Amino acid sequence: MARPAARALSGAPTPDEAARAIPAADNARNEVRNWYAHLMGERRMSEATLVNYHRDVTRFFEFLVDHLGGPADLDALAALQTRDFRAFVSQRRNEGLQSRSIARMISSVRSFFRFLDRSNILSNASATTLRSPKLPHAIPKPLSVSGADAMIGEAEALPGEAWKGLRDAAVLTLLYGCGLRVSEALALNRNTAPLKDTLRITGKGNKERIVPVLPAAREAVERYLALCPFGLTGEDPLFVSARGKRLGQRQVREAMQTLRLRLGLPDTATPHALRHSFATHLLAGGGDLRAIQELLGHSSLSTTQMYTEVDSARLLDIYDKAQRRR
């Protein structure tokens, strides 16, 4: 059953573009389009997740071309055995894919087969037997307060057009000052400014939350808009590129890389690290864990609890250094 086309996102293919890239029989390619439109429209997945899921499923169908001797159709997908899925995972691991990427790839393929099952297209129980590799328990690596402040200040001082530096500083301020994800900050439209005391954010899983807006964030956005050369109104994007289009996550990552090099910060100083910094610094200042969970939009408190490990690790590091000085 055909489904309506979903809105295209900057940097992510449209459903039709996503389907055309798949080396498969027409009936399988059409279901990839429907699955992708579902992720984009109903699930409202972020641009980065859409790109990754599409890439993973494309690699899966490329594998099947060689593995089966030709493009797979729906009957071939239904007939796949556990050994076929394991062969795909094994090939990707031999190509150098790390455990975290393997886990995401398995999640992508499972998502596609789960969609086929729920849509009554086909059912393949073997797809559910795929097990993700165990991942190392990673503790978030936030910036220090001074590091976060320096990064935002340096963004404003970057050479080039002044409005771009103010734009980047405003985005980073929203990540650090409001705990937004990059995708959430870039999804804001012009009609949200001037920012009020709170922002209504739609996050992962289409879940809404209210976050307070610090005066510094409000002022950063106003400084950017005062110099922005585009006449943005209403549903226009709040943050735009040099061509007046919605700013993409890749451009924010590239700006952060430039700032890291200028400030001598580690590779862990990423856009998402500013969100980690928001949570860690709130917790260190006596913030309530449950309140921080709400501000971040975490579905589970256990996800937010990882920030208590950051604080414990920091205290242990201080203790260790003190012992070495004795």
Side-chain angles (χ1 to χ4, degrees):
M1 182 176 67
R3 290 166 177 79
R7 175 180 59 87
L9 298 175
S10 172
T14 66
D16 288 337
E17 291 169 342
R20 283 197 295 270
I22 301 296
D26 288 343
N27 61 0
R29 189 183 295 117
N30 186 58
E31 292 309 323
V32 171
R33 182 204 176 281
N34 293 337
W35 165 73
Y36 186 88
H38 166 72
L39 298 183
M40 180 179 279
E42 296 174 40
R43 294 283 303 279
R44 298 185 67 176
M45 282 189 168
S46 70
E47 172 188 320
T49 303
L50 286 168
V51 169
N52 286 330
Y53 269 42
H54 178 253
R55 183 188 300 118
D56 291 336
V57 168
T58 302
R59 296 291 177 270
F60 177 65
F61 275 96
E62 289 172 347
F63 161 80
L64 291 179
V65 170
D66 292 331
H67 188 66
L68 301 177
D73 60 12
L74 292 179
D75 288 339
L77 294 179
L80 291 175
Q81 302 291 311
T82 300
R83 62 176 177 269
D84 300 313
F85 290 105
R86 287 177 176 168
F88 171 57
V89 173
S90 178
Q91 182 191 83
R92 296 294 284 140
R93 191 177 291 283
N94 290 338
E95 291 171 351
L97 212 63
Q98 300 301 306
S99 292
R100 196 169 296 280
S101 296
I102 291 283
R104 190 207 61 230
M105 178 193 73
I106 290 173
S107 176
S108 304
V109 173
R110 276 183 187 159
S111 169
F112 176 57
F113 276 89
R114 190 163 53 245
F115 172 82
L116 295 177
D117 185 33
R118 291 175 178 174
S119 302
N120 295 317
I121 304 299
L122 65 87
S123 181
N124 186 320
S126 296
T128 65
T129 65
L130 279 172
R131 293 289 177 264
S132 295
K134 287 189 175 181
L135 301 178
H137 181 61
I139 297 177
K141 296 177 176 61
L143 283 72
S144 65
V145 174
S146 59
D149 288 343
M151 182 161 277
I152 293 170
E154 188 69 17
E156 295 188 11
L158 285 176
E161 296 177 83
W163 75 271
K164 293 181 182 178
L166 292 172
R167 175 202 64 197
D168 293 344
V171 172
L172 301 185
T173 302
L174 286 172
L175 305 187
Y176 179 52
C178 300
L180 301 190
R181 299 177 178 92
V182 182
S183 58
E184 294 168 348
L186 300 185
L188 294 174
N189 290 332
R190 176 63 180 84
N191 55 17
T192 60
L195 301 183
K196 299 178 174 61
D197 292 338
T198 59
L199 266 176
R200 182 180 296 274
I201 298 297
T202 302
K204 287 186 176 180
N206 208 23
K207 182 180 177 182
E208 285 194 346
R209 69 185 191 277
I210 304 295
V211 298
V213 176
L214 298 176
R218 187 179 303 111
E219 292 164 8
V221 170
E222 289 305 306
R223 287 199 301 273
Y224 149 65
L225 287 174
L227 291 187
C228 180
F230 301 97
L232 306 174
T233 59
E235 296 295 322
D236 289 338
L238 177 58
F239 297 111
V240 294
S241 66
R243 295 184 177 183
K245 305 296 184 181
R246 190 177 297 273
L247 191 65
Q249 293 190 38
R250 184 178 66 181
Q251 292 163 294
V252 178
R253 289 194 295 270
E254 289 173 349
M256 285 288 284
Q257 183 178 13
T258 299
L259 294 169
R260 282 201 306 269
L261 293 173
R262 289 172 67 93
L263 296 170
L265 295 173
D267 290 344
T268 54
T270 63
H272 202 66
L274 287 171
R275 177 172 152 91
H276 289 325
S277 304
F278 164 82
T280 305
H281 298 165
L282 272 182
L283 187 63
D288 176 73
L289 197 62
R290 184 70 70 177
I292 295 172
Q293 175 195 358
E294 293 296 323
L295 291 174
L296 292 173
H298 287 161
S299 298
S300 170
L301 185 63
S302 62
T303 305
T304 316
Q305 284 172 332
M306 65 182 177
Y307 294 108
T308 64
E309 297 182 46
V310 177
D311 208 40
S312 297
R314 184 178 65 85
L315 290 173
L316 287 172
D317 183 55
I318 293 170
Y319 176 79
D320 184 55
K321 289 177 181 177
Q323 291 297 310
R324 288 202 297 267
R325 285 197 296 267
R326 285 189 171 185

